[in-house]
Amino acid sequence: MAAQQAATSLRGVQTKCLRSMARDPLMQCLLPRFQQRNMATESSVLSTSTSSLTPFISISTPLSHRPPPPVPQILATLYTFPSMEPQSFVEYPAAHLNVPLRRDILHRAVVYEGDKARQGSANAKWRSDVHGSGRKLLPQKGTGRARVGDKKSPIRRGGGVAHGPKPRDFSTGLPKKIYDLAWRTALSYRYRRGELVVIGEMEDIDNAEPRWIEQIFDKVNFGKRDGRSLIVTGTKLPNLYAALAGTYGVGLAKTGDAIDVKDLLEMGRIVIEKQVLDSIFKKHSSDIIGTVPSAVGI
Amino acid sequence: MAQLACAQMPLRSLWRCRISPPSTEALRSYNQQQWRHESILGALSDIPSSYNKRIRVGRGPSSGYGKTSGRGHKGQKQHGKVPAGFEGGQTPVEKIHGERGFVNVHTKDFAIVPLTRIQSWIAQGRLASDRPITPRELIISRCVSDAKDGIKLLARSKSHDCSLNAQGPLTIPLNIVVSRASSSAIEAVEKAGGKVLTRYYTRWAMEQIVKNKMDPIQSLRSEPVDTEDMDTSKYQYRLPDATSRKAIEYYRDATHRGYLAYTVGEHEGPSLFHKPPRNITREEIEEKKRLRGTSGQVQKTKLNMDANKMW
């Protein structure tokens, strides 16, 4: 009994310790998945002691009249590249970087992108497209042979293709607000798993040699044995892009306007420049901003 | 055991989160281990209710689609397909009654904008009253959701009893440029000291105007404006002009406040075909009446009767 009590108290101390660690900014950045999760659906639990209540909120206030719970900020560390030294912290709203995982929304976004990316340019000649005459090859009766029409028939060699592919558009639709949510869901998922590395300002590497970047990646645990990395930069950095293009299974470099949701989910981690991350949040927030269309100041 | 697991948690987390290499030797040994990255892409799926289960017909009686596979008994419907509109040999209804009416392919479909909505938009701060309100402003502020072939301004409840935001009568001077405008809308805008200009737009033109690739007001045949800040070179395309007779005649009409009204000469009307009735003075009418007086008519008939005499 006593031992059990001691164990319980010890566990309590540990939990408290872990919580305080989680509140520490450094800990929060290094171990985002270890911190307390603040999901968007989470609401603050009212404690029984009145001392914790602010004067203008009383228990008798109806739920709908209470001010919304404060939106927690998410801390991310800015690193340098390629030295990967932590520089500073940067805060993002939870609606940007701590969106709950929705596999269905990610699925819809990935399928939408895949459909949109299809060229749909397959083209075959149907019997009417094949060059040639419509002359009947044999008389209808009296030859002892099977009935035949023209030589462009799909059953003949050199004939058209029956129901062959024609150029078409495979693209499907997805509401903009859902697609925007998918972007932030993907980034949040990566962030919580510690797979989102934010770089303050990406610098080009000194050498365009593939071995150079391979060794850098091995050193900072970005490479092949660590599940590869996607480097996202604002502009093309010649040496970095050339070096990564020469490697195999190490990683990929893309500019911010060339990535999509699927890219964000593919590799072991996303190494992204801060300005690109900010522009993604700016571009893909239609579901949380809710602006009224206006022509003033256009 | 649980305590042990708890104590290990930070280490395990550090090992999974390999952003920056931890410096301790103990963690270094973790880093040497390989771990395979597993992408979430293979585990994505839409919610189950988004998928329909395929109906497997002809696969046994318990499926409900077993014996006849949902096609009923005997006949053409079971074995193939029946032509659309075929009523089993009876004269089909579309053959008895045939087609009625027609679709006018030449008609122009205008998006309607009530003046009250513009007022409401201004009150909400979605439209600026100090600048010309052109299709660009109306479309961008979603005062018009689909501009169709053009925008038509109507006055709808001009003085009072406005359904939208209970706006009173229009008091702000506005400068509105649209495709068409009703006479009551023109009257209401001008009463408030504003002005209306109607001009020719096409669907494509309005798309380019929204993209800021085309001037929203000035075209080649517009009345020249001598402002120096008008820089037409910044636009990629030129705004098209009316080409059909019907459209030209509409915009030549000053009562429509058309943009071509300035081209109408002093003794011309908006029509390109009919001459306007000549202005006749009262004296001229009197003179005509006098000449055509009753005595004159009698004389004429007498004369005619005389001329028709055969004997």
Side-chain angles (χ1 to χ4, degrees), chain A residues 30 225-226 265 267 293 295, chain B residues 17-18 31 37 39 45 51 126:
Chain A
L30 291 176
R225 67 191 176 105
D226 297 281
L265 300 172
M267 297 206 179
Chain B
C17 145
R18 295 147 73 98
N31 276 342
H37 168 71
S39 165
S45 163
Y51 301 100
R126 295 171 71 174

Side-chain angles (χ1 to χ4, degrees), chain B residues 46 61 216 240 261 265 284 302:
Chain B
D46 210 336
E284 278 175 329
K302 251 188 186 172

